[in-house]
Amino acid sequence: MKQRINTICVQGGYTPKNGEPRQIPIVQSTTFKYDTSEDMGKLFDLEASGYFYTRLQNPTNDCVAAKIAQLEGGTAAMLTSSGQAANFFAIFNIAGCGDHVVASATIYGGTYNLFHVTMKRMGVDFTFVEPDCTDEELAAAFRPNTKAVFGETIANPALTVLDIERFAKAAHDHGVPLIVDNTFATPVNCRPFEWGADIVTHSTTKYMDGHGAAVGGCIVDSGKFDWMAHADKFPGLTTPDESYHGITYAEKFGLEGAFITKCTAQLMRDFGAIQSPQNAFLLNLGLESLHVRMPRHCENALAVAEHLKGCDKISFVTYPGLKGDKYYDLAKKYMPGGTCGVVSFGFKGGRSAAENFMKHLKLAAIETHVADARTCCLHPASATHRQMNDEELLAAGITPDLVRLSCGIEDAADLIADIDQALAQI
């Protein structure tokens, strides 16, 4: 029976058999015992399913990954130690030294730094394009060695909305997959695979966990991109992997399983950025209420955005669910039920006014965090994006006076009262 997303949040990924635990068990073990070397050998040859070392896979993690795959409508998924690890693995699984990737310029500062600095040192080159660029400008960003396109459903903290269909078409016209970070929207509000995306990533630390309890990430494969049709571009998937018994992933595991199997057997094996089973357990508890929390986050954010719009000390308000917002129409197309709980806004008094405002907040806490049940606040230019110069900040859609407010699930009237008392003191 096909289940709706609300039911999948609660019951997806794990169905206990007679007499088994109702809740997903925490398999807090590094290793697993087998009767014979032959039994274990089958696992190393990927001829049998099972577990031999938690650095690669763990039963708790796999149950939670399966739930997220169901939520996104994908065919396979894997958990990682963080959202940064998820984005790194998703790119590095198909792009290496000498390759090129096209990415939206307004992505999260940590991801930008990963791409522009760290992966650049590894020999992967990135071209950053404005999400509102013309079709011609987008097409011009591609090179013969381009291996992927990357963007965020809703950018953090610029809150630009990616035109998924348009970016997917450009990617597919050039024979490469579109990778979308769906952290802010979550599959409750948007399922990028339905609009042409091929791989989805998440920082599960955010709304999926929802309680600031466990850092984590996830990669989900749509199972739709035909790697063999573009075999020359993706030799890691379409030619034998001599580091893993000569397996050709695309042939052995097909469209549905090649990407995640390679990512697990090769990258997780070598980098070991696994999510702990305890964190996966906590993540699952958050997922069970995701469908209940997301509407409240969106409701509160819209109320706050509408209120800020009328405040004389505020210079601008950015929220894709707000009528008149630049991305309102795109948001309604891709996320008709709501966008996210994050509102970005600026101050007529500039950077000093923004910093002063934050000092006087009482309910909203200043944190390097976002998308939590509790309201939190951040000045990106001083924190997550402080490695960027002013030119790079503006390219990422961030001004020095921008404040990112992540509305929790408290009462909206209390959030507005806190904002008003802080505004009154600047």
Side-chain angles (χ1 to χ4, degrees), residues 191-345:
R191 304 216 303 175
F193 293 154
E194 296 175 355
W195 301 99
D198 302 288
I199 308 292
V200 159
T201 63
H202 286 276
S203 170
T204 62
T205 317
K206 309 306 190 298
Y207 287 120
M208 284 188 166
D209 169 81
H211 300 85
V215 174
C218 186
I219 308 172
V220 187
D221 184 10
S222 68
K224 295 178 180 177
F225 192 83
D226 192 343
W227 306 106
M228 292 302 292
H230 310 282
D232 58 325
K233 279 186 173 288
F234 306 104
L237 284 159
T238 61
T239 61
D241 178 5
E242 298 306 330
S243 77
Y244 222 101
H245 320 297
I247 285 172
T248 299
Y249 296 100
E251 291 179 351
K252 188 172 181 65
F253 300 101
L255 300 186
E256 296 82 5
F259 186 89
I260 294 297
T261 303
K262 176 182 181 292
C263 206
T264 301
Q266 193 181 83
L267 300 189
M268 194 62 82
R269 174 197 67 194
D270 294 344
F271 290 97
I274 194 74
Q275 188 169 147
S276 75
Q278 178 69 57
N279 278 12
F281 176 84
L282 294 171
L283 167 58
N284 187 61
L285 293 181
L287 288 169
E288 289 179 353
S289 65
L290 182 64
H291 63 297
V292 179
R293 289 184 285 108
M294 285 308 295
R296 173 57 73 88
H297 283 294
C298 296
E299 176 187 319
N300 283 356
L302 181 58
V304 165
E306 289 174 340
H307 181 76
L308 285 167
K309 198 76 174 172
C311 295
D312 59 5
K313 295 180 181 179
I314 300 299
S315 59
F316 68 88
V317 180
T318 301
Y319 183 64
L322 184 67
K323 285 184 179 179
D325 186 90
K326 181 178 181 180
Y327 295 97
Y328 180 78
D329 290 338
L330 271 182
K332 282 298 177 186
K333 172 182 176 177
Y334 293 116
M335 294 161 277
T339 55
C340 66
V342 181
V343 181
S344 292
F345 52 98

Side-chain angles (χ1 to χ4, degrees), residues 17-354:
K17 299 183 178 66
N18 188 44
E20 291 186 340
R22 186 63 193 87
Q23 182 55 275
I24 292 175
I26 305 172
V27 182
Q28 194 64 46
S29 179
T30 61
T31 191
F32 301 82
K33 178 259 183 188
Y34 287 90
D35 291 336
T36 69
S37 294
E38 287 79 10
D39 290 337
M40 184 169 281
K42 291 177 183 177
L43 298 176
F44 275 90
D45 287 343
L46 301 179
E47 296 293 343
S49 60
Y51 304 92
F52 52 86
Y53 202 56
T54 286
R55 189 179 79 226
L56 278 87
Q57 286 180 289
N58 177 282
T60 307
N61 293 25
D62 281 0
C63 287
V64 182
K67 174 180 283 190
I68 296 173
Q70 280 185 265
L71 289 170
E72 286 287 6
T75 58
M78 63 187 290
L79 299 187
T80 62
S81 57
S82 68
Q84 285 286 86
N87 285 334
F88 171 65
F89 277 13
I91 295 289
F92 202 60
N93 202 35
I94 52 176
C97 184
D99 290 332
H100 172 256
V101 175
V102 176
S104 170
T106 59
I107 56 176
Y108 166 59
T111 308
Y112 176 88
N113 199 56
L114 168 67
F115 292 169
H116 183 61
V117 178
T118 302
M119 293 195 75
K120 187 175 182 179
R121 289 174 59 201
M122 302 171 76
V124 184
D125 197 16
F126 288 80
T127 295
F128 295 93
V129 297
E130 292 298 322
D132 305 327
C133 66
T134 65
D135 291 343
E136 292 74 21
E137 289 170 333
L138 180 55
F142 287 83
R143 304 174 188 172
N145 61 337
T146 300
K147 297 299 176 72
V149 178
F150 181 93
E152 295 174 350
T153 312
I154 305 173
N156 173 17
L159 301 181
T160 58
V161 175
L162 188 74
D163 191 340
I164 301 172
E165 275 192 317
R166 190 165 71 91
F167 273 72
K169 182 181 185 304
H172 297 158
D173 284 348
H174 292 85
V176 301
L178 172 63
I179 302 171
V180 174
D181 184 330
N182 197 33
T183 296
F184 266 21
T186 82
V188 170
N189 287 340
C190 181
R191 304 216 303 175
F193 293 154
E194 296 175 355
W195 301 99
D198 302 288
I199 308 292
V200 159
T201 63
H202 286 276
S203 170
T204 62
T205 317
K206 309 306 190 298
Y207 287 120
M208 284 188 166
D209 169 81
H211 300 85
V215 174
C218 186
I219 308 172
V220 187
D221 184 10
S222 68
K224 295 178 180 177
F225 192 83
D226 192 343
W227 306 106
M228 292 302 292
H230 310 282
D232 58 325
K233 279 186 173 288
F234 306 104
L237 284 159
T238 61
T239 61
D241 178 5
E242 298 306 330
S243 77
Y244 222 101
H245 320 297
I247 285 172
T248 299
Y249 296 100
E251 291 179 351
K252 188 172 181 65
F253 300 101
L255 300 186
E256 296 82 5
F259 186 89
I260 294 297
T261 303
K262 176 182 181 292
C263 206
T264 301
Q266 193 181 83
L267 300 189
M268 194 62 82
R269 174 197 67 194
D270 294 344
F271 290 97
I274 194 74
Q275 188 169 147
S276 75
Q278 178 69 57
N279 278 12
F281 176 84
L282 294 171
L283 167 58
N284 187 61
L285 293 181
L287 288 169
E288 289 179 353
S289 65
L290 182 64
H291 63 297
V292 179
R293 289 184 285 108
M294 285 308 295
R296 173 57 73 88
H297 283 294
C298 296
E299 176 187 319
N300 283 356
L302 181 58
V304 165
E306 289 174 340
H307 181 76
L308 285 167
K309 198 76 174 172
C311 295
D312 59 5
K313 295 180 181 179
I314 300 299
S315 59
F316 68 88
V317 180
T318 301
Y319 183 64
L322 184 67
K323 285 184 179 179
D325 186 90
K326 181 178 181 180
Y327 295 97
Y328 180 78
D329 290 338
L330 271 182
K332 282 298 177 186
K333 172 182 176 177
Y334 293 116
M335 294 161 277
T339 55
C340 66
V342 181
V343 181
S344 292
F345 52 98
F347 292 79
K348 292 178 180 177
R351 183 173 188 149
S352 61

